[in-house]
Coordinates of all heavy atoms in Angstrom, one line a residue:
T736 N -144.5 38.3 -17.4 CA -143.4 38.1 -16.4 C -142.9 36.7 -16.5 O -143.5 35.8 -17.1 CB -143.9 38.4 -15.0 OG1 -144.9 37.5 -14.7 CG2 -144.5 39.8 -14.9
N737 N -141.7 36.5 -15.8 CA -141.1 35.2 -15.8 C -141.9 34.2 -15.0 O -141.8 33.0 -15.3 CB -139.7 35.2 -15.3 CG -138.7 35.8 -16.3 OD1 -139.0 35.9 -17.4 ND2 -137.6 36.3 -15.8
T738 N -142.7 34.6 -14.1 CA -143.5 33.7 -13.3 C -144.6 33.0 -14.1 O -145.1 32.0 -13.8 CB -144.1 34.4 -12.1 OG1 -144.9 35.5 -12.5 CG2 -143.1 34.9 -11.1
D739 N -145.0 33.7 -15.2 CA -146.0 33.1 -16.1 C -145.4 32.1 -17.1 O -146.2 31.4 -17.8 CB -146.7 34.2 -16.9 CG -147.5 35.1 -16.0 OD1 -147.9 34.7 -14.9 OD2 -147.8 36.3 -16.4
Q740 N -144.1 32.1 -17.3 CA -143.4 31.2 -18.3 C -143.8 29.7 -18.2 O -144.2 29.1 -19.2 CB -141.9 31.4 -18.3 CG -141.5 32.4 -19.3 CD -140.0 32.5 -19.3 OE1 -139.3 32.6 -18.3 NE2 -139.4 32.4 -20.5
P741 N -143.7 29.1 -17.0 CA -144.1 27.7 -16.9 C -145.5 27.4 -17.3 O -145.8 26.4 -18.0 CB -143.8 27.3 -15.5 CG -142.8 28.3 -15.0 CD -143.2 29.6 -15.7
V742 N -146.4 28.3 -17.0 CA -147.8 28.1 -17.3 C -148.0 28.2 -18.8 O -148.6 27.4 -19.5 CB -148.7 29.1 -16.6 CG1 -150.2 29.1 -17.1 CG2 -148.7 28.9 -15.1
K743 N -147.4 29.2 -19.4 CA -147.5 29.4 -20.9 C -146.9 28.2 -21.6 O -147.4 27.8 -22.6 CB -146.8 30.7 -21.3 CG -147.6 31.9 -20.9 CD -146.9 33.2 -21.3 CE -147.7 34.4 -20.8 NZ -147.0 35.7 -21.0
A744 N -145.7 27.7 -21.1 CA -145.1 26.6 -21.8 C -146.0 25.4 -21.7 O -146.2 24.7 -22.7 CB -143.7 26.3 -21.1
A745 N -146.6 25.1 -20.5 CA -147.5 24.0 -20.4 C -148.7 24.1 -21.3 O -149.1 23.2 -22.0 CB -147.9 23.8 -18.9
E746 N -149.3 25.3 -21.3 CA -150.5 25.5 -22.1 C -150.2 25.3 -23.6 O -151.0 24.7 -24.3 CB -151.0 26.9 -21.9 CG -151.7 27.1 -20.5 CD -152.1 28.6 -20.2 OE1 -151.6 29.5 -20.9 OE2 -152.9 28.7 -19.3
T747 N -149.0 25.8 -24.0 CA -148.6 25.7 -25.4 C -148.4 24.2 -25.8 O -148.9 23.7 -26.8 CB -147.3 26.5 -25.7 OG1 -147.6 27.9 -25.4 CG2 -146.9 26.4 -27.2
L748 N -147.6 23.5 -25.0 CA -147.4 22.1 -25.2 C -148.7 21.3 -25.3 O -148.9 20.5 -26.1 CB -146.4 21.5 -24.2 CG -146.0 20.0 -24.4 CD1 -145.5 19.7 -25.8 CD2 -145.0 19.6 -23.3
E749 N -149.6 21.6 -24.3 CA -150.8 20.9 -24.3 C -151.7 21.2 -25.5 O -152.3 20.2 -26.1 CB -151.6 21.3 -23.0 CG -152.9 20.5 -22.8 CD -153.5 20.7 -21.4 OE1 -153.8 21.8 -21.1 OE2 -153.5 19.7 -20.7
A750 N -151.7 22.4 -26.0 CA -152.4 22.8 -27.2 C -151.9 22.0 -28.4 O -152.6 21.5 -29.2 CB -152.4 24.3 -27.4
F751 N -150.5 21.9 -28.5 CA -149.9 21.2 -29.6 C -150.2 19.7 -29.6 O -150.5 19.1 -30.6 CB -148.4 21.4 -29.7 CG -148.0 22.8 -30.2 CD1 -146.7 23.2 -29.9 CD2 -148.9 23.6 -30.9 CE1 -146.3 24.5 -30.4 CE2 -148.5 24.8 -31.4 CZ -147.2 25.3 -31.1
L752 N -150.2 19.1 -28.3 CA -150.5 17.7 -28.2 C -152.0 17.4 -28.6 O -152.3 16.5 -29.3 CB -150.3 17.2 -26.8 CG -148.8 16.9 -26.4 CD1 -148.6 16.8 -24.9 CD2 -148.4 15.6 -27.2
T753 N -152.9 18.2 -28.0 CA -154.3 17.9 -28.3 C -154.7 18.4 -29.7 O -155.7 17.9 -30.2 CB -155.2 18.6 -27.2 OG1 -155.0 20.0 -27.2 CG2 -154.9 18.1 -25.8
G754 N -154.0 19.3 -30.2 CA -154.3 19.8 -31.6 C -153.7 19.0 -32.7 O -154.0 19.3 -33.9
G755 N -152.9 18.1 -32.4 CA -152.3 17.2 -33.4 C -151.0 17.7 -34.0 O -150.4 17.0 -34.9
Q756 N -150.5 18.8 -33.6 CA -149.2 19.3 -34.1 C -148.0 18.5 -33.6 O -147.0 18.4 -34.3 CB -149.0 20.8 -33.8 CG -149.9 21.8 -34.5 CD -151.2 22.0 -33.6 OE1 -151.5 21.3 -32.7 NE2 -151.9 23.1 -34.0
I757 N -148.2 17.9 -32.4 CA -147.2 17.0 -31.9 C -147.8 15.7 -31.6 O -148.9 15.6 -31.1 CB -146.6 17.6 -30.5 CG1 -145.9 18.9 -30.7 CG2 -145.7 16.6 -29.9 CD1 -145.4 19.5 -29.4
K758 N -147.1 14.6 -32.0 CA -147.6 13.3 -31.8 C -147.8 13.0 -30.4 O -146.8 13.1 -29.6 CB -146.7 12.2 -32.5 CG -147.2 10.8 -32.4 CD -146.3 9.8 -33.1 CE -146.8 8.4 -32.9 NZ -145.9 7.4 -33.4
P759 N -148.9 12.5 -29.9 CA -149.1 12.2 -28.5 C -148.5 10.9 -28.1 O -149.0 9.8 -28.4 CB -150.6 12.2 -28.3 CG -151.2 11.8 -29.7 CD -150.2 12.4 -30.7
T760 N -147.3 11.0 -27.5 CA -146.6 9.8 -27.0 C -146.5 9.9 -25.5 O -146.7 11.0 -24.9 CB -145.2 9.8 -27.6 OG1 -144.4 10.9 -27.1 CG2 -145.2 9.8 -29.1
G761 N -146.1 8.8 -24.9 CA -145.9 8.8 -23.4 C -144.8 9.8 -23.0 O -145.0 10.5 -22.0
S762 N -143.7 9.9 -23.7 CA -142.7 10.8 -23.3 C -143.1 12.3 -23.5 O -142.7 13.1 -22.7 CB -141.4 10.6 -24.1 OG -141.6 10.8 -25.5
R763 N -143.9 12.6 -24.5 CA -144.4 14.0 -24.6 C -145.4 14.3 -23.5 O -145.4 15.5 -23.0 CB -145.1 14.1 -26.0 CG -144.2 14.1 -27.1 CD -143.3 15.3 -27.1 NE -142.3 15.2 -28.2 CZ -141.0 15.5 -28.1 NH1 -140.5 15.9 -26.9 NH2 -140.2 15.4 -29.1
Y764 N -146.2 13.3 -23.0 CA -147.0 13.6 -21.9 C -146.3 13.7 -20.6 O -146.7 14.5 -19.7 CB -148.2 12.6 -21.8 CG -149.4 13.0 -22.6 CD1 -149.5 12.6 -23.9 CD2 -150.3 14.0 -22.2 CE1 -150.6 13.0 -24.7 CE2 -151.3 14.4 -22.9 CZ -151.5 13.9 -24.2 OH -152.5 14.4 -25.0
I765 N -145.1 13.0 -20.5 CA -144.2 13.3 -19.4 C -143.7 14.7 -19.4 O -143.7 15.4 -18.4 CB -143.1 12.2 -19.4 CG1 -143.6 10.8 -19.0 CG2 -142.0 12.7 -18.3 CD1 -142.6 9.7 -19.1
D766 N -143.3 15.1 -20.6 CA -142.9 16.5 -20.7 C -143.9 17.5 -20.3 O -143.7 18.5 -19.6 CB -142.5 16.8 -22.2 CG -141.3 16.1 -22.7 OD1 -140.5 15.6 -21.9 OD2 -141.1 16.0 -23.9
L767 N -145.2 17.2 -20.7 CA -146.3 18.1 -20.3 C -146.5 18.0 -18.8 O -146.7 19.1 -18.1 CB -147.6 17.6 -21.0 CG -148.8 18.5 -20.7 CD1 -148.6 19.9 -21.0 CD2 -150.0 17.9 -21.4
G768 N -146.4 16.9 -18.2 CA -146.6 16.7 -16.7 C -145.5 17.5 -16.0 O -145.8 18.2 -15.0
E769 N -144.3 17.4 -16.5 CA -143.2 18.2 -15.9 C -143.4 19.7 -16.0 O -143.1 20.4 -15.1 CB -141.8 17.8 -16.5 CG -141.4 16.4 -16.2 CD -140.0 16.1 -16.9 OE1 -139.2 17.0 -17.1 OE2 -139.8 14.9 -17.1
A770 N -143.9 20.1 -17.2 CA -144.2 21.5 -17.4 C -145.3 22.0 -16.4 O -145.2 23.1 -15.8 CB -144.7 21.8 -18.8
W771 N -146.4 21.2 -16.2 CA -147.4 21.6 -15.3 C -146.9 21.5 -13.8 O -147.3 22.4 -13.0 CB -148.6 20.7 -15.4 CG -149.5 21.0 -16.6 CD1 -149.9 20.2 -17.6 CD2 -150.2 22.3 -16.8 NE1 -150.7 20.9 -18.4 CE2 -150.9 22.2 -18.0 CE3 -150.1 23.5 -16.2 CZ2 -151.6 23.3 -18.5 CZ3 -150.9 24.6 -16.7 CH2 -151.6 24.4 -17.9
Y772 N -146.0 20.6 -13.6 CA -145.4 20.5 -12.2 C -144.6 21.8 -12.0 O -144.7 22.4 -10.9 CB -144.5 19.3 -12.1 CG -143.9 19.1 -10.8 CD1 -144.6 18.5 -9.7 CD2 -142.6 19.5 -10.5 CE1 -144.0 18.3 -8.5 CE2 -142.0 19.4 -9.2 CZ -142.8 18.8 -8.2 OH -142.2 18.6 -7.0
E773 N -143.8 22.2 -12.9 CA -143.0 23.5 -12.8 C -144.0 24.7 -12.6 O -143.6 25.7 -12.0 CB -142.1 23.7 -14.0 CG -140.9 22.8 -14.0 CD -140.0 22.9 -12.8 OE1 -139.7 24.1 -12.4 OE2 -139.6 21.9 -12.3
A774 N -145.1 24.6 -13.2 CA -146.1 25.7 -13.2 C -146.9 25.6 -11.9 O -147.8 26.4 -11.7 CB -147.0 25.7 -14.4
E775 N -146.6 24.7 -11.0 CA -147.2 24.5 -9.7 C -148.7 24.2 -9.9 O -149.6 24.7 -9.2 CB -147.0 25.7 -8.8 CG -145.5 25.9 -8.5 CD -145.2 27.1 -7.6 OE1 -146.1 27.7 -7.1 OE2 -144.0 27.3 -7.4
Q776 N -149.0 23.3 -10.9 CA -150.4 22.9 -11.1 C -150.4 21.3 -11.0 O -150.4 20.6 -12.0 CB -150.8 23.3 -12.6 CG -150.8 24.8 -12.8 CD -152.0 25.4 -12.2 OE1 -153.1 24.9 -12.1 NE2 -151.8 26.7 -11.8
P777 N -150.4 20.8 -9.7 CA -150.2 19.4 -9.5 C -151.4 18.6 -10.1 O -151.1 17.5 -10.6 CB -150.2 19.3 -8.0 CG -150.8 20.5 -7.5 CD -150.5 21.6 -8.5
E778 N -152.6 19.0 -10.1 CA -153.7 18.2 -10.7 C -153.5 18.1 -12.2 O -153.7 17.0 -12.7 CB -155.0 18.9 -10.4 CG -155.4 18.9 -8.9 CD -155.5 17.5 -8.3 OE1 -155.9 16.5 -9.0 OE2 -155.3 17.4 -7.0
K779 N -153.1 19.1 -12.9 CA -152.9 19.1 -14.3 C -151.7 18.2 -14.6 O -151.6 17.4 -15.6 CB -152.7 20.5 -14.9 CG -154.0 21.2 -14.9 CD -153.9 22.6 -15.5 CE -155.2 23.3 -15.6 NZ -155.1 24.6 -16.2
A780 N -150.6 18.3 -13.8 CA -149.4 17.5 -13.9 C -149.8 16.0 -13.8 O -149.4 15.2 -14.6 CB -148.4 17.9 -12.9
L781 N -150.6 15.7 -12.8 CA -151.0 14.3 -12.5 C -151.8 13.8 -13.7 O -151.6 12.6 -14.2 CB -151.9 14.2 -11.3 CG -152.3 12.8 -10.8 CD1 -151.0 12.0 -10.6 CD2 -153.1 12.9 -9.6
A782 N -152.7 14.6 -14.3 CA -153.5 14.1 -15.5 C -152.6 13.9 -16.6 O -152.8 12.9 -17.4 CB -154.5 15.2 -15.8
A783 N -151.6 14.7 -16.8 CA -150.6 14.5 -17.9 C -149.8 13.2 -17.7 O -149.6 12.4 -18.7 CB -149.7 15.7 -18.1
F784 N -149.3 13.0 -16.5 CA -148.5 11.8 -16.2 C -149.4 10.5 -16.4 O -149.0 9.5 -16.9 CB -148.0 11.8 -14.8 CG -146.9 12.9 -14.6 CD1 -146.8 13.6 -13.5 CD2 -145.9 13.1 -15.6 CE1 -145.8 14.6 -13.3 CE2 -144.9 14.0 -15.4 CZ -144.9 14.8 -14.3
Q785 N -150.7 10.6 -16.0 CA -151.6 9.5 -16.2 C -151.8 9.2 -17.7 O -151.7 8.0 -18.1 CB -153.0 9.8 -15.5 CG -152.9 9.7 -14.0 CD -154.2 10.2 -13.4 OE1 -154.9 11.1 -13.9 NE2 -154.5 9.7 -12.2
K786 N -151.9 10.2 -18.5 CA -152.0 10.0 -19.9 C -150.7 9.4 -20.5 O -150.8 8.5 -21.3 CB -152.4 11.3 -20.6 CG -152.6 11.2 -22.1 CD -153.8 10.4 -22.5 CE -154.0 10.5 -24.0 NZ -155.2 9.7 -24.4
G787 N -149.6 9.9 -20.0 CA -148.3 9.3 -20.4 C -148.2 7.9 -20.0 O -147.7 7.1 -20.8
A788 N -148.7 7.5 -18.8 CA -148.6 6.1 -18.4 C -149.5 5.2 -19.3 O -149.1 4.1 -19.6 CB -149.0 6.0 -16.9
E789 N -150.6 5.7 -19.7 CA -151.5 5.0 -20.5 C -150.9 4.7 -21.9 O -151.1 3.6 -22.5 CB -152.8 5.7 -20.8 CG -153.7 5.8 -19.6 CD -154.9 6.8 -19.8 OE1 -155.2 7.2 -20.9 OE2 -155.5 7.2 -18.8
L790 N -150.1 5.6 -22.3 CA -149.4 5.5 -23.7 C -148.1 4.7 -23.6 O -147.4 4.6 -24.6 CB -149.2 6.9 -24.3 CG -150.5 7.6 -24.6 CD1 -150.2 9.1 -25.0 CD2 -151.2 6.9 -25.7
S791 N -147.7 4.3 -22.4 CA -146.4 3.7 -22.2 C -146.5 2.3 -21.6 O -146.3 2.1 -20.4 CB -145.5 4.6 -21.3 OG -145.4 5.9 -21.9
A792 N -146.8 1.3 -22.4 CA -146.9 -0.1 -21.8 C -145.6 -0.7 -21.3 O -145.7 -1.5 -20.4 CB -147.5 -1.0 -22.9
D793 N -144.5 -0.3 -21.9 CA -143.2 -0.9 -21.5 C -142.2 0.2 -21.0 O -141.0 0.0 -21.0 CB -142.6 -1.6 -22.7 CG -142.3 -0.7 -23.9 OD1 -142.7 0.5 -23.9 OD2 -141.7 -1.2 -24.8
N794 N -142.7 1.3 -20.4 CA -141.9 2.3 -19.8 C -142.6 2.8 -18.6 O -143.7 3.4 -18.7 CB -141.6 3.4 -20.9 CG -140.6 4.4 -20.3 OD1 -140.7 4.9 -19.2 ND2 -139.7 4.8 -21.2
G795 N -142.0 2.7 -17.4 CA -142.6 3.1 -16.2 C -142.3 4.5 -15.8 O -142.6 4.9 -14.6
S796 N -141.6 5.3 -16.6 CA -141.3 6.7 -16.2 C -142.4 7.5 -15.8 O -142.4 8.2 -14.8 CB -140.4 7.3 -17.3 OG -139.2 6.7 -17.5
A797 N -143.5 7.5 -16.6 CA -144.7 8.3 -16.2 C -145.3 7.8 -14.9 O -145.7 8.7 -14.1 CB -145.7 8.3 -17.4
D798 N -145.3 6.5 -14.7 CA -145.9 6.0 -13.5 C -145.0 6.4 -12.3 O -145.6 6.7 -11.2 CB -146.0 4.5 -13.6 CG -146.8 4.0 -14.7 OD1 -148.0 3.9 -14.5 OD2 -146.3 3.7 -15.8
A799 N -143.7 6.5 -12.5 CA -142.8 6.9 -11.4 C -143.1 8.4 -11.1 O -143.1 8.7 -9.9 CB -141.4 6.7 -11.8
W800 N -143.2 9.2 -12.1 CA -143.6 10.6 -11.8 C -144.9 10.7 -11.1 O -145.0 11.5 -10.2 CB -143.7 11.3 -13.2 CG -142.5 12.0 -13.6 CD1 -141.6 11.6 -14.6 CD2 -141.9 13.3 -13.1 NE1 -140.6 12.5 -14.7 CE2 -140.8 13.5 -13.8 CE3 -142.4 14.2 -12.1 CZ2 -140.0 14.7 -13.6 CZ3 -141.6 15.3 -11.9 CH2 -140.4 15.5 -12.6
M801 N -145.9 9.9 -11.5 CA -147.2 9.9 -10.8 C -147.0 9.5 -9.3 O -147.6 10.2 -8.5 CB -148.2 8.9 -11.4 CG -148.9 9.4 -12.6 SD -150.3 8.4 -13.2 CE -150.0 6.8 -12.6
G802 N -146.2 8.5 -9.1 CA -146.0 8.1 -7.7 C -145.4 9.2 -6.9 O -145.8 9.4 -5.7
A803 N -144.3 9.9 -7.4 CA -143.7 11.0 -6.7 C -144.7 12.1 -6.4 O -144.7 12.6 -5.3 CB -142.5 11.5 -7.5
L804 N -145.5 12.4 -7.4 CA -146.4 13.5 -7.3 C -147.5 13.2 -6.3 O -147.9 14.0 -5.4 CB -147.0 13.9 -8.6 CG -148.0 15.1 -8.7 CD1 -147.4 16.3 -8.1 CD2 -148.4 15.3 -10.1
L805 N -148.0 11.9 -6.3 CA -149.0 11.5 -5.4 C -148.5 11.5 -3.9 O -149.2 11.8 -3.0 CB -149.5 10.1 -5.8 CG -150.4 10.1 -7.0 CD1 -150.5 8.7 -7.6 CD2 -151.8 10.7 -6.7
L806 N -147.2 11.2 -3.8 CA -146.6 11.3 -2.4 C -146.6 12.7 -2.0 O -146.9 13.0 -0.8 CB -145.2 10.7 -2.4 CG -145.0 9.2 -2.3 CD1 -143.5 8.9 -2.5 CD2 -145.5 8.7 -1.0
D807 N -146.3 13.6 -2.9 CA -146.3 15.1 -2.5 C -147.7 15.5 -2.1 O -147.9 16.4 -1.4 CB -145.8 15.9 -3.7 CG -144.3 15.9 -3.9 OD1 -143.6 15.3 -3.1 OD2 -143.9 16.4 -5.0
M808 N -148.7 14.8 -2.7 CA -150.1 15.2 -2.5 C -150.7 14.4 -1.3 O -151.9 14.4 -1.0 CB -150.9 14.9 -3.7 CG -150.5 15.8 -4.9 SD -151.2 15.2 -6.5 CE -152.8 16.1 -6.4
N809 N -149.8 13.7 -0.5 CA -150.2 12.9 0.6 C -151.2 11.8 0.3 O -152.1 11.6 1.0 CB -150.7 13.8 1.7 CG -149.7 14.7 2.3 OD1 -148.6 14.3 2.6 ND2 -150.0 16.0 2.4
K810 N -151.0 11.2 -0.9 CA -151.8 10.1 -1.3 C -150.9 8.8 -1.4 O -150.7 8.3 -2.5 CB -152.5 10.4 -2.6 CG -153.4 11.6 -2.6 CD -154.1 11.9 -3.9 CE -155.1 13.1 -3.8 NZ -155.8 13.3 -5.0
A811 N -150.5 8.4 -0.2 CA -149.5 7.3 -0.2 C -150.0 6.0 -0.8 O -149.2 5.3 -1.5 CB -149.1 7.0 1.3
G812 N -151.2 5.6 -0.6 CA -151.7 4.4 -1.2 C -151.7 4.4 -2.7 O -151.3 3.4 -3.4
E813 N -152.2 5.5 -3.3 CA -152.2 5.7 -4.8 C -150.7 5.7 -5.3 O -150.4 5.2 -6.3 CB -152.9 6.9 -5.2 CG -154.4 6.8 -4.9 CD -155.1 8.1 -5.2 OE1 -155.0 8.6 -6.4 OE2 -155.8 8.6 -4.3
A814 N -149.9 6.4 -4.5 CA -148.4 6.5 -4.9 C -147.8 5.1 -4.9 O -147.1 4.8 -5.9 CB -147.7 7.4 -3.9
K815 N -148.1 4.3 -3.9 CA -147.5 3.0 -3.9 C -147.9 2.2 -5.1 O -147.1 1.5 -5.8 CB -147.9 2.2 -2.6 CG -147.3 0.9 -2.5 CD -147.8 0.1 -1.3 CE -147.2 -1.2 -1.2 NZ -148.0 -2.2 -0.4
T816 N -149.2 2.3 -5.5 CA -149.7 1.5 -6.7 C -149.0 2.0 -7.9 O -148.6 1.2 -8.8 CB -151.2 1.7 -6.8 OG1 -151.8 1.2 -5.6 CG2 -151.8 1.0 -8.0
A817 N -148.8 3.3 -8.1 CA -148.2 3.9 -9.3 C -146.7 3.5 -9.3 O -146.2 3.1 -10.4 CB -148.3 5.4 -9.3
L818 N -146.0 3.5 -8.2 CA -144.6 3.1 -8.2 C -144.5 1.6 -8.5 O -143.5 1.2 -9.2 CB -144.0 3.5 -6.9 CG -143.8 5.0 -6.7 CD1 -143.4 5.3 -5.3 CD2 -142.7 5.5 -7.7
E819 N -145.4 0.8 -7.9 CA -145.3 -0.7 -8.2 C -145.5 -0.9 -9.7 O -144.8 -1.7 -10.3 CB -146.4 -1.4 -7.4 CG -146.0 -1.5 -6.0 CD -147.2 -2.1 -5.1 OE1 -148.3 -2.1 -5.6 OE2 -146.9 -2.5 -3.9
T820 N -146.4 -0.2 -10.3 CA -146.7 -0.3 -11.8 C -145.4 0.2 -12.5 O -145.0 -0.5 -13.5 CB -147.9 0.6 -12.2 OG1 -149.0 0.1 -11.5 CG2 -148.1 0.5 -13.7
A821 N -144.8 1.2 -12.1 CA -143.6 1.7 -12.7 C -142.5 0.6 -12.8 O -141.9 0.4 -13.8 CB -143.0 3.0 -12.0
F822 N -142.3 0.0 -11.6 CA -141.2 -1.1 -11.6 C -141.6 -2.3 -12.4 O -140.8 -3.0 -13.0 CB -140.9 -1.4 -10.2 CG -140.0 -0.4 -9.5 CD1 -140.6 0.4 -8.5 CD2 -138.7 -0.2 -9.9 CE1 -139.8 1.4 -7.9 CE2 -137.9 0.8 -9.3 CZ -138.5 1.6 -8.3
R823 N -142.9 -2.6 -12.5 CA -143.4 -3.7 -13.3 C -143.1 -3.4 -14.8 O -142.7 -4.3 -15.5 CB -144.9 -4.0 -13.0 CG -145.4 -5.3 -13.5 CD -146.8 -5.7 -13.0 NE -147.8 -4.6 -13.1 CZ -148.2 -3.9 -12.0 NH1 -147.8 -4.2 -10.8 NH2 -149.2 -3.0 -12.1
K824 N -143.4 -2.2 -15.2 CA -143.2 -1.9 -16.6 C -141.7 -1.8 -16.9 O -141.2 -2.1 -18.0 CB -143.8 -0.5 -16.9 CG -145.3 -0.5 -17.0 CD -145.8 0.9 -17.3 CE -147.3 1.0 -17.5 NZ -147.7 2.3 -17.8
G825 N -140.9 -1.3 -16.0 CA -139.4 -1.1 -16.2 C -139.1 0.1 -17.0 O -139.9 0.9 -17.3
N826 N -137.8 0.1 -17.4 CA -137.3 1.2 -18.3 C -137.6 2.6 -17.7 O -137.9 3.5 -18.4 CB -137.9 1.1 -19.7 CG -137.5 -0.1 -20.4 OD1 -136.3 -0.5 -20.4 ND2 -138.5 -0.8 -21.0
I827 N -137.4 2.7 -16.4 CA -137.7 4.0 -15.7 C -136.5 4.9 -15.9 O -135.3 4.5 -15.7 CB -137.9 3.8 -14.2 CG1 -139.1 2.9 -14.0 CG2 -138.1 5.1 -13.5 CD1 -139.3 2.4 -12.6
K828 N -136.7 6.1 -16.4 CA -135.6 7.1 -16.8 C -134.8 7.4 -15.6 O -133.6 7.4 -15.6 CB -136.2 8.3 -17.4 CG -135.1 9.3 -17.9 CD -135.7 10.4 -18.7 CE -134.7 11.3 -19.2 NZ -135.2 12.4 -20.0
H829 N -135.4 7.7 -14.4 CA -134.6 8.1 -13.2 C -135.0 7.1 -12.1 O -135.7 7.4 -11.2 CB -135.0 9.5 -12.8 CG -134.7 10.5 -13.8 ND1 -133.4 10.9 -14.1 CD2 -135.4 11.3 -14.6 CE1 -133.4 11.8 -15.0 NE2 -134.6 12.1 -15.4
E830 N -134.5 5.9 -12.3 CA -134.9 4.8 -11.4 C -134.5 5.0 -10.0 O -135.3 4.7 -9.1 CB -134.3 3.4 -11.9 CG -134.9 2.2 -11.2 CD -134.4 0.9 -11.9 OE1 -134.2 0.9 -13.1 OE2 -134.4 -0.1 -11.2
G831 N -133.4 5.7 -9.8 CA -133.0 6.0 -8.4 C -134.0 6.8 -7.7 O -134.3 6.6 -6.5
N832 N -134.6 7.8 -8.3 CA -135.6 8.6 -7.7 C -136.9 7.8 -7.4 O -137.5 8.1 -6.4 CB -136.0 9.8 -8.7 CG -134.9 10.8 -8.8 OD1 -134.0 10.9 -8.0 ND2 -135.0 11.6 -9.9
A833 N -137.2 6.9 -8.2 CA -138.4 6.1 -8.0 C -138.3 5.2 -6.7 O -139.2 5.0 -6.0 CB -138.7 5.2 -9.2
Y834 N -137.0 4.8 -6.4 CA -136.8 4.0 -5.2 C -137.0 4.9 -4.0 O -137.5 4.6 -3.0 CB -135.4 3.4 -5.1 CG -135.3 2.1 -5.9 CD1 -134.6 2.1 -7.1 CD2 -135.9 1.0 -5.4 CE1 -134.5 0.9 -7.8 CE2 -135.8 -0.2 -6.1 CZ -135.1 -0.3 -7.3 OH -135.1 -1.4 -8.0

């Protein structure tokens, strides 16, 4: 069914990233985090955004995603830290959303 599509997409992307078929980059882990977010799997999305942040020293987009997700999870302190890191790194894809 269509309700399974986001889960299958996330599982496939994760398998390709961990299996080496796709180079593990910060932006690919952002893609994975977005896929898990769409699949309504916030813990898996958060883990993917964290990995993306680790791989992105000069791009705060993954950190901004983490901040937004942590806010959704009612973790304001952690969200603030992630968003501060995002702005420190810069190059945030959707900077308006991060504010």
Side-chain angles (χ1 to χ4, degrees):
T736 65
N737 285 343
T738 57
D739 294 337
Q740 263 183 311
V742 172
K743 288 179 184 174
E746 289 173 341
T747 301
L748 180 54
E749 187 167 61
F751 284 162
L752 279 167
T753 58
Q756 291 91 341
I757 296 175
K758 183 180 178 186
T760 64
S762 64
R763 290 295 175 221
Y764 273 96
I765 290 173
D766 293 342
L767 179 59
E769 290 180 27
W771 281 125
Y772 183 82
E773 289 296 317
E775 299 178 5
Q776 299 284 328
E778 295 296 334
K779 290 181 179 184
L781 185 59
F784 292 138
Q785 287 171 328
K786 183 69 173 174
E789 291 169 14
L790 294 171
S791 303
D793 60 352
N794 184 318
S796 295
D798 300 275
W800 266 103
M801 275 192 336
L804 183 54
L805 287 163
L806 278 175
D807 287 349
M808 298 168 85
N809 295 312
K810 297 181 179 183
E813 292 174 56
K815 181 182 179 202
T816 300
L818 290 167
E819 287 171 345
T820 300
F822 285 109
R823 192 168 47 255
K824 287 181 178 180
N826 298 313
I827 301 168
K828 186 173 183 180
H829 300 287
E830 191 169 332
N832 291 341
Y834 278 108

